[in-house]
Amino acid sequence: MNPTFRVSMLAGLALSLAVASGCTVRPLMATPDVTQSGFASSPALSSIAIAPVDTRYGQEVRNHLIFLLNGGAGQPSNARYALELAVTRSSSAAARVQVRTDNEPTSSLLTMTAVYTLTESGTGQVVAKGRRQISSAYDVPRQEFAALRAERDAENRAARELAEQLRLALGQDLARSDIGL
């Protein structure tokens, strides 16, 4: 090999290592301590208490969100923030296949929407408001129980994804307002 080629290769390698060492990537709102769930949550996110909801699918969203905000530790005992959460759902026929004689839908689309308001517990001041929506498609089989179970599974999938969206939205709202960070 040519000595100048070796030198240029070594210089290129050193330059690429220097550039790569300057790059850092970390999750939104992360802290250096990683919880058992594999991600870290900021003190601001883990100090949010979520008010009870009145539907089964709303409770699914709430439970997943509590887990995501606190790494499985449950709700904080002395929360700095209170989150009011209203979850609604709707289902609509996505496709109708004429194979069936009764013209029932063969697939449906479940849409779950969450409207949230984050307030400071001490003052009652509104920190953030928002709305997030997620859709989940599912097949509608002929058997009634199987159709109900498919709809329930779609609700559970949508609840998990909606909770993840809400966690990101809350993190962005708190980072934008620079409260508690």
Side-chain angles (χ1 to χ4, degrees), residues 18 32 47 54 57-58 70 83 87 106 112 128 137 139 155 169:
S47 66
D54 57 353
Y57 51 86
N70 301 304
L83 181 71
V87 182
T106 56
M112 197 173 287
D139 291 330
E155 279 180 356

Short mmCIF file of all heavy atoms in Angstrom, two decimals, residues 18 32 47 54 57-58 70 83 87 106 112 128 137 139 155 169:
data_model
loop_
_atom_site.label_atom_id
_atom_site.label_comp_id
_atom_site.label_asym_id
_atom_site.label_seq_id
_atom_site.Cartn_x
_atom_site.Cartn_y
_atom_site.Cartn_z
N ALA A 18 -14.00 10.79 15.79
CA ALA A 18 -14.21 12.04 16.50
C ALA A 18 -15.63 12.56 16.28
O ALA A 18 -16.29 13.04 17.22
CB ALA A 18 -13.19 13.09 16.05
N PRO A 32 -30.61 10.15 33.71
CA PRO A 32 -29.59 9.11 33.69
C PRO A 32 -30.03 7.78 34.33
O PRO A 32 -29.52 6.75 33.98
CB PRO A 32 -28.43 9.71 34.48
CG PRO A 32 -28.65 11.17 34.42
CD PRO A 32 -30.12 11.37 34.33
N SER A 47 -44.33 12.90 38.28
CA SER A 47 -45.09 13.59 39.33
C SER A 47 -46.47 14.01 38.82
O SER A 47 -47.03 15.01 39.26
CB SER A 47 -44.32 14.80 39.84
OG SER A 47 -44.20 15.76 38.82
N ASP A 54 -64.24 6.72 33.63
CA ASP A 54 -65.45 5.95 33.88
C ASP A 54 -65.77 4.86 32.86
O ASP A 54 -66.83 4.26 32.92
CB ASP A 54 -66.65 6.90 33.99
CG ASP A 54 -66.81 7.77 32.75
OD1 ASP A 54 -65.94 7.73 31.87
OD2 ASP A 54 -67.82 8.49 32.67
N TYR A 57 -62.35 1.10 28.42
CA TYR A 57 -61.25 1.47 27.51
C TYR A 57 -60.51 2.70 28.03
O TYR A 57 -59.30 2.83 27.85
CB TYR A 57 -61.74 1.66 26.08
CG TYR A 57 -62.93 2.59 25.95
CD1 TYR A 57 -62.76 3.95 25.84
CD2 TYR A 57 -64.22 2.09 25.94
CE1 TYR A 57 -63.83 4.80 25.72
CE2 TYR A 57 -65.31 2.93 25.82
CZ TYR A 57 -65.11 4.29 25.70
OH TYR A 57 -66.18 5.13 25.59
N GLY A 58 -61.21 3.61 28.71
CA GLY A 58 -60.55 4.75 29.34
C GLY A 58 -59.62 4.30 30.45
O GLY A 58 -58.52 4.83 30.63
N ASN A 70 -44.42 6.35 35.20
CA ASN A 70 -43.71 6.04 36.45
C ASN A 70 -42.89 4.76 36.39
O ASN A 70 -42.42 4.31 37.42
CB ASN A 70 -44.71 5.98 37.60
CG ASN A 70 -45.44 7.28 37.76
OD1 ASN A 70 -44.83 8.32 37.93
ND2 ASN A 70 -46.75 7.24 37.65
N LEU A 83 -53.79 15.31 36.02
CA LEU A 83 -54.19 15.13 34.64
C LEU A 83 -55.63 14.66 34.57
O LEU A 83 -55.98 13.62 35.14
CB LEU A 83 -53.28 14.10 33.95
CG LEU A 83 -53.57 13.85 32.48
CD1 LEU A 83 -53.17 15.05 31.64
CD2 LEU A 83 -52.84 12.60 31.99
N VAL A 87 -61.69 9.94 27.54
CA VAL A 87 -61.43 9.04 26.42
C VAL A 87 -62.77 8.63 25.80
O VAL A 87 -63.67 8.20 26.51
CB VAL A 87 -60.65 7.80 26.88
CG1 VAL A 87 -60.35 6.90 25.70
CG2 VAL A 87 -59.35 8.20 27.58
N THR A 106 -67.31 -6.72 7.20
CA THR A 106 -66.32 -7.77 7.44
C THR A 106 -65.07 -7.21 8.11
O THR A 106 -64.25 -7.97 8.61
CB THR A 106 -65.92 -8.45 6.12
OG1 THR A 106 -65.46 -7.45 5.22
CG2 THR A 106 -67.11 -9.19 5.54
N MET A 112 -60.08 5.82 18.76
CA MET A 112 -60.09 6.21 20.17
C MET A 112 -59.47 7.60 20.28
O MET A 112 -58.40 7.85 19.72
CB MET A 112 -59.31 5.20 21.01
CG MET A 112 -59.59 5.28 22.48
SD MET A 112 -58.82 3.94 23.41
CE MET A 112 -59.84 2.56 22.97
N ALA A 128 -51.14 22.52 30.36
CA ALA A 128 -51.26 22.07 28.97
C ALA A 128 -52.63 21.47 28.73
O ALA A 128 -53.25 20.91 29.64
CB ALA A 128 -50.18 21.06 28.66
N ALA A 137 -57.62 -1.07 13.22
CA ALA A 137 -58.49 -1.86 12.35
C ALA A 137 -58.61 -3.28 12.89
O ALA A 137 -57.70 -3.80 13.53
CB ALA A 137 -57.91 -1.89 10.94
N ASP A 139 -60.83 -7.28 12.02
CA ASP A 139 -61.75 -8.09 11.22
C ASP A 139 -62.97 -8.42 12.05
O ASP A 139 -62.88 -8.62 13.26
CB ASP A 139 -61.08 -9.40 10.78
CG ASP A 139 -59.99 -9.17 9.75
OD1 ASP A 139 -60.11 -8.19 8.99
OD2 ASP A 139 -59.03 -9.95 9.72
N GLU A 155 -59.66 -2.38 20.92
CA GLU A 155 -59.69 -1.36 21.97
C GLU A 155 -58.40 -1.39 22.78
O GLU A 155 -57.83 -0.34 23.08
CB GLU A 155 -60.86 -1.60 22.93
CG GLU A 155 -62.19 -1.12 22.47
CD GLU A 155 -63.28 -1.41 23.48
OE1 GLU A 155 -63.03 -2.04 24.53
OE2 GLU A 155 -64.42 -0.97 23.23
N ALA A 169 -46.77 13.47 24.30
CA ALA A 169 -47.38 14.79 24.28
C ALA A 169 -47.17 15.52 25.60
O ALA A 169 -46.84 16.72 25.61
CB ALA A 169 -48.88 14.67 23.98
#
